[in-house]
Amino acid sequence: VLGVDPKKAIAMSLVVVGITSLAALVAHARAGNVAWRMGVIFGLSGMAGSFLGGICAFFLSGRVLLILFALMAIGTSFAMLCGSQKPAAADAEEFSSANGRLVVSEASLVDAEQHEHPLWRIILDGLIVGVVTGLVGAGGGFLVVPALVLLAGLDIRVALGTSLLVISMKSFAGYLGHALHEKIDFQLTAVVSLSAVLGSFLGGYFTLLVPQQVLRKGFAALVLVVGVLQLVTELMA
């Protein structure tokens, strides 16, 4: 849309997503929607993978990278739409009112932190998602959230909050990989980042008000639309 070269746009997007994720993380952390232990483990392994993916991006054309992005977005959206979901009653029970705001119940966060997956599985998942997101330039929301929901068993609200921690870590690592071979327009990046941060505050507020099933389906539908539009655009180019 802004006429930026695809490879430069990918590198810029990592910076924008990293800054936006850090800003949005504040509201989710205050609401108790972050599984910190899971996020740090997943994020550290994702940083290594994202840095590697950023370096590998040098060997692929911008069009190939965008097509890969579209295919992965479509695939993960279907995984979110078709994956198992907790019943609405369970969703209602996991949240309670405290001090005038909605928070995740203590039991929900305990379950999130005491995950059933072994450490090596968390590291491997983070590494794979990191490589993919560093390669295509997405901060990883469209992959991290489904991974945390489908693989780690977090509910959608905790997955969204935790993903912001993971995404911010991976995004900056991925940018460092791209920075070895791409220079970006820092002024344009700053303007886009500021706009995105303002939008993230509004999004964080609505996350507390919208039911879990609606959030999950809405997120998946949005990713699907973005993926299909991107794929059609690249195939028709």
Side-chain angles (χ1 to χ4, degrees), residues 8 10 30 49 57 62 73-74 94 99 116 120 145 153 157 162 170 174 188-189 203 206 214-215 225 228 232:
K8 293 184 184 296
I10 286 174
R30 290 182 61 188
I74 293 172
E94 287 186 356
N99 300 322
E116 298 179 357
W120 69 265
V145 174
R157 283 190 178 88
T162 304
K170 293 194 304 84
L188 178 59
T189 302
F206 281 111
V214 175
L215 276 175
V225 170
V228 170
V232 171

mmCIF file of all heavy atoms in Angstrom, residues 8 10 30 49 57 62 73-74 94 99 116 120 145 153 157 162 170 174 188-189 203 206 214-215 225 228 232:
data_model
loop_
_atom_site.group_PDB
_atom_site.id
_atom_site.type_symbol
_atom_site.label_atom_id
_atom_site.label_comp_id
_atom_site.label_asym_id
_atom_site.label_seq_id
_atom_site.Cartn_x
_atom_site.Cartn_y
_atom_site.Cartn_z
ATOM 1 N N LYS A 8 12.004 -5.026 2.507
ATOM 2 C CA LYS A 8 12.135 -3.958 3.487
ATOM 3 C C LYS A 8 10.874 -3.880 4.347
ATOM 4 O O LYS A 8 10.935 -3.623 5.558
ATOM 5 C CB LYS A 8 12.385 -2.623 2.796
ATOM 6 C CG LYS A 8 13.729 -2.525 2.096
ATOM 7 C CD LYS A 8 13.949 -1.141 1.527
ATOM 8 C CE LYS A 8 15.268 -1.081 0.743
ATOM 9 N NZ LYS A 8 16.428 -1.323 1.619
ATOM 10 N N ILE A 10 8.958 -6.340 5.161
ATOM 11 C CA ILE A 10 8.998 -7.453 6.108
ATOM 12 C C ILE A 10 9.844 -7.082 7.317
ATOM 13 O O ILE A 10 9.455 -7.310 8.472
ATOM 14 C CB ILE A 10 9.545 -8.721 5.421
ATOM 15 C CG1 ILE A 10 8.488 -9.307 4.480
ATOM 16 C CG2 ILE A 10 9.979 -9.759 6.445
ATOM 17 C CD1 ILE A 10 8.968 -10.459 3.644
ATOM 18 N N ARG A 30 -1.770 -6.438 33.299
ATOM 19 C CA ARG A 30 -2.539 -5.876 34.406
ATOM 20 C C ARG A 30 -3.828 -6.650 34.631
ATOM 21 O O ARG A 30 -4.305 -6.756 35.762
ATOM 22 C CB ARG A 30 -2.857 -4.412 34.122
ATOM 23 C CG ARG A 30 -1.636 -3.488 34.173
ATOM 24 C CD ARG A 30 -2.043 -2.049 33.926
ATOM 25 N NE ARG A 30 -2.973 -1.584 34.934
ATOM 26 C CZ ARG A 30 -3.610 -0.415 34.888
ATOM 27 N NH1 ARG A 30 -3.409 0.390 33.849
ATOM 28 N NH2 ARG A 30 -4.424 -0.063 35.848
ATOM 29 N N GLY A 49 15.028 -18.991 16.684
ATOM 30 C CA GLY A 49 14.472 -19.382 15.398
ATOM 31 C C GLY A 49 14.180 -18.187 14.515
ATOM 32 O O GLY A 49 14.404 -18.226 13.300
ATOM 33 N N ALA A 57 15.816 -15.425 4.975
ATOM 34 C CA ALA A 57 14.967 -14.644 4.075
ATOM 35 C C ALA A 57 15.768 -14.014 2.939
ATOM 36 O O ALA A 57 15.219 -13.705 1.883
ATOM 37 C CB ALA A 57 14.230 -13.562 4.863
ATOM 38 N N GLY A 62 10.997 -11.643 -2.571
ATOM 39 C CA GLY A 62 9.911 -11.049 -1.807
ATOM 40 C C GLY A 62 8.572 -11.705 -2.111
ATOM 41 O O GLY A 62 7.746 -11.900 -1.216
ATOM 42 N N ALA A 73 -0.915 -18.384 6.921
ATOM 43 C CA ALA A 73 -2.052 -17.716 7.544
ATOM 44 C C ALA A 73 -3.333 -18.509 7.322
ATOM 45 O O ALA A 73 -4.131 -18.712 8.247
ATOM 46 C CB ALA A 73 -2.200 -16.300 6.982
ATOM 47 N N ILE A 74 -3.523 -18.987 6.101
ATOM 48 C CA ILE A 74 -4.715 -19.780 5.779
ATOM 49 C C ILE A 74 -4.717 -21.082 6.575
ATOM 50 O O ILE A 74 -5.740 -21.483 7.151
ATOM 51 C CB ILE A 74 -4.776 -20.062 4.272
ATOM 52 C CG1 ILE A 74 -5.009 -18.759 3.498
ATOM 53 C CG2 ILE A 74 -5.884 -21.071 3.954
ATOM 54 C CD1 ILE A 74 -4.886 -18.898 1.994
ATOM 55 N N GLU A 94 -14.158 -19.315 34.128
ATOM 56 C CA GLU A 94 -12.743 -18.982 34.251
ATOM 57 C C GLU A 94 -12.508 -17.510 34.540
ATOM 58 O O GLU A 94 -11.404 -17.090 34.813
ATOM 59 C CB GLU A 94 -12.002 -19.378 32.969
ATOM 60 C CG GLU A 94 -11.829 -20.869 32.839
ATOM 61 C CD GLU A 94 -10.974 -21.208 31.639
ATOM 62 O OE1 GLU A 94 -10.598 -20.274 30.903
ATOM 63 O OE2 GLU A 94 -10.682 -22.390 31.438
ATOM 64 N N ASN A 99 -12.353 -5.704 41.442
ATOM 65 C CA ASN A 99 -11.982 -4.289 41.362
ATOM 66 C C ASN A 99 -12.514 -3.637 40.086
ATOM 67 O O ASN A 99 -11.863 -2.796 39.485
ATOM 68 C CB ASN A 99 -10.457 -4.113 41.414
ATOM 69 C CG ASN A 99 -9.876 -4.653 42.702
ATOM 70 O OD1 ASN A 99 -10.496 -4.508 43.758
ATOM 71 N ND2 ASN A 99 -8.706 -5.265 42.629
ATOM 72 N N GLU A 116 1.311 -29.455 30.561
ATOM 73 C CA GLU A 116 1.601 -30.871 30.508
ATOM 74 C C GLU A 116 2.734 -31.204 29.554
ATOM 75 O O GLU A 116 3.273 -32.284 29.592
ATOM 76 C CB GLU A 116 0.327 -31.628 30.098
ATOM 77 C CG GLU A 116 -0.832 -31.466 31.097
ATOM 78 C CD GLU A 116 -2.065 -32.215 30.632
ATOM 79 O OE1 GLU A 116 -2.017 -32.785 29.525
ATOM 80 O OE2 GLU A 116 -3.059 -32.240 31.359
ATOM 81 N N TRP A 120 11.314 -29.758 26.315
ATOM 82 C CA TRP A 120 11.854 -29.854 24.965
ATOM 83 C C TRP A 120 10.787 -29.575 23.916
ATOM 84 O O TRP A 120 11.068 -28.998 22.866
ATOM 85 C CB TRP A 120 12.483 -31.229 24.719
ATOM 86 C CG TRP A 120 11.513 -32.376 24.653
ATOM 87 C CD1 TRP A 120 11.146 -33.209 25.662
ATOM 88 C CD2 TRP A 120 10.775 -32.814 23.495
ATOM 89 N NE1 TRP A 120 10.223 -34.128 25.224
ATOM 90 C CE2 TRP A 120 9.987 -33.910 23.891
ATOM 91 C CE3 TRP A 120 10.716 -32.380 22.168
ATOM 92 C CZ2 TRP A 120 9.136 -34.583 23.020
ATOM 93 C CZ3 TRP A 120 9.867 -33.050 21.290
ATOM 94 C CH2 TRP A 120 9.089 -34.141 21.724
ATOM 95 N N VAL A 145 -0.520 -17.555 18.592
ATOM 96 C CA VAL A 145 -1.795 -17.751 19.289
ATOM 97 C C VAL A 145 -2.352 -19.157 19.055
ATOM 98 O O VAL A 145 -2.704 -19.857 20.017
ATOM 99 C CB VAL A 145 -2.823 -16.674 18.873
ATOM 100 C CG1 VAL A 145 -4.192 -16.978 19.482
ATOM 101 C CG2 VAL A 145 -2.349 -15.297 19.320
ATOM 102 N N GLY A 153 -2.532 -25.603 25.201
ATOM 103 C CA GLY A 153 -3.792 -25.748 25.921
ATOM 104 C C GLY A 153 -4.267 -24.508 26.663
ATOM 105 O O GLY A 153 -5.114 -24.607 27.548
ATOM 106 N N ARG A 157 -7.938 -16.022 25.753
ATOM 107 C CA ARG A 157 -7.525 -14.757 26.360
ATOM 108 C C ARG A 157 -6.093 -14.832 26.886
ATOM 109 O O ARG A 157 -5.294 -13.926 26.680
ATOM 110 C CB ARG A 157 -8.486 -14.372 27.485
ATOM 111 C CG ARG A 157 -9.812 -13.796 27.023
ATOM 112 C CD ARG A 157 -10.594 -13.228 28.184
ATOM 113 N NE ARG A 157 -11.841 -12.633 27.755
ATOM 114 C CZ ARG A 157 -12.978 -13.283 27.624
ATOM 115 N NH1 ARG A 157 -13.014 -14.574 27.869
ATOM 116 N NH2 ARG A 157 -14.076 -12.666 27.239
ATOM 117 N N THR A 162 -0.274 -13.863 26.414
ATOM 118 C CA THR A 162 1.049 -14.489 26.427
ATOM 119 C C THR A 162 1.742 -14.332 25.082
ATOM 120 O O THR A 162 2.962 -14.151 25.013
ATOM 121 C CB THR A 162 0.917 -15.993 26.768
ATOM 122 O OG1 THR A 162 0.222 -16.140 28.008
ATOM 123 C CG2 THR A 162 2.289 -16.646 26.892
ATOM 124 N N LYS A 170 10.395 -12.274 19.760
ATOM 125 C CA LYS A 170 10.760 -12.840 18.461
ATOM 126 C C LYS A 170 10.903 -11.781 17.376
ATOM 127 O O LYS A 170 11.722 -11.896 16.482
ATOM 128 C CB LYS A 170 9.729 -13.883 18.016
ATOM 129 C CG LYS A 170 9.693 -15.126 18.864
ATOM 130 C CD LYS A 170 8.922 -16.244 18.225
ATOM 131 C CE LYS A 170 7.514 -15.869 17.861
ATOM 132 N NZ LYS A 170 7.389 -15.191 16.571
ATOM 133 N N GLY A 174 14.042 -11.327 15.059
ATOM 134 C CA GLY A 174 13.882 -11.491 13.615
ATOM 135 C C GLY A 174 14.379 -10.282 12.848
ATOM 136 O O GLY A 174 15.001 -10.415 11.790
ATOM 137 N N LEU A 188 9.292 6.235 8.780
ATOM 138 C CA LEU A 188 8.020 5.609 8.430
ATOM 139 C C LEU A 188 7.672 4.519 9.437
ATOM 140 O O LEU A 188 6.509 4.373 9.828
ATOM 141 C CB LEU A 188 8.108 5.019 7.019
ATOM 142 C CG LEU A 188 6.857 4.280 6.520
ATOM 143 C CD1 LEU A 188 5.647 5.203 6.512
ATOM 144 C CD2 LEU A 188 7.105 3.708 5.121
ATOM 145 N N THR A 189 8.668 3.772 9.861
ATOM 146 C CA THR A 189 8.442 2.715 10.845
ATOM 147 C C THR A 189 7.904 3.289 12.150
ATOM 148 O O THR A 189 7.004 2.717 12.778
ATOM 149 C CB THR A 189 9.757 1.954 11.126
ATOM 150 O OG1 THR A 189 10.258 1.413 9.902
ATOM 151 C CG2 THR A 189 9.527 0.821 12.115
ATOM 152 N N GLY A 203 -7.803 -2.490 21.299
ATOM 153 C CA GLY A 203 -7.988 -3.937 21.166
ATOM 154 C C GLY A 203 -7.875 -4.655 22.502
ATOM 155 O O GLY A 203 -8.638 -5.589 22.785
ATOM 156 N N PHE A 206 -11.207 -4.350 24.428
ATOM 157 C CA PHE A 206 -12.290 -5.194 23.931
ATOM 158 C C PHE A 206 -12.051 -6.671 24.216
ATOM 159 O O PHE A 206 -12.996 -7.447 24.317
ATOM 160 C CB PHE A 206 -12.489 -4.975 22.425
ATOM 161 C CG PHE A 206 -13.258 -3.735 22.094
ATOM 162 C CD1 PHE A 206 -12.645 -2.652 21.484
ATOM 163 C CD2 PHE A 206 -14.599 -3.636 22.417
ATOM 164 C CE1 PHE A 206 -13.352 -1.498 21.186
ATOM 165 C CE2 PHE A 206 -15.324 -2.486 22.126
ATOM 166 C CZ PHE A 206 -14.700 -1.414 21.510
ATOM 167 N N VAL A 214 -16.116 -16.193 20.724
ATOM 168 C CA VAL A 214 -16.216 -15.138 19.717
ATOM 169 C C VAL A 214 -14.822 -14.634 19.355
ATOM 170 O O VAL A 214 -14.507 -14.397 18.180
ATOM 171 C CB VAL A 214 -17.096 -13.977 20.222
ATOM 172 C CG1 VAL A 214 -17.098 -12.826 19.215
ATOM 173 C CG2 VAL A 214 -18.520 -14.462 20.471
ATOM 174 N N LEU A 215 -13.959 -14.469 20.368
ATOM 175 C CA LEU A 215 -12.589 -14.033 20.126
ATOM 176 C C LEU A 215 -11.848 -15.024 19.241
ATOM 177 O O LEU A 215 -11.160 -14.647 18.290
ATOM 178 C CB LEU A 215 -11.837 -13.883 21.456
ATOM 179 C CG LEU A 215 -11.983 -12.574 22.223
ATOM 180 C CD1 LEU A 215 -11.253 -12.684 23.557
ATOM 181 C CD2 LEU A 215 -11.455 -11.402 21.419
ATOM 182 N N VAL A 225 -9.035 -14.229 6.176
ATOM 183 C CA VAL A 225 -9.276 -13.183 5.174
ATOM 184 C C VAL A 225 -7.962 -12.573 4.706
ATOM 185 O O VAL A 225 -7.730 -12.395 3.502
ATOM 186 C CB VAL A 225 -10.204 -12.089 5.746
ATOM 187 C CG1 VAL A 225 -10.264 -10.890 4.795
ATOM 188 C CG2 VAL A 225 -11.606 -12.643 5.978
ATOM 189 N N VAL A 228 -6.070 -15.158 2.476
ATOM 190 C CA VAL A 228 -6.678 -15.341 1.152
ATOM 191 C C VAL A 228 -6.414 -14.127 0.269
ATOM 192 O O VAL A 228 -6.043 -14.269 -0.905
ATOM 193 C CB VAL A 228 -8.196 -15.586 1.285
ATOM 194 C CG1 VAL A 228 -8.863 -15.528 -0.087
ATOM 195 C CG2 VAL A 228 -8.458 -16.942 1.938
ATOM 196 N N VAL A 232 -4.261 -14.295 -3.209
ATOM 197 C CA VAL A 232 -4.877 -13.899 -4.487
ATOM 198 C C VAL A 232 -4.077 -12.771 -5.133
ATOM 199 O O VAL A 232 -3.820 -12.770 -6.336
ATOM 200 C CB VAL A 232 -6.336 -13.458 -4.260
ATOM 201 C CG1 VAL A 232 -6.906 -12.834 -5.547
ATOM 202 C CG2 VAL A 232 -7.200 -14.646 -3.846
#
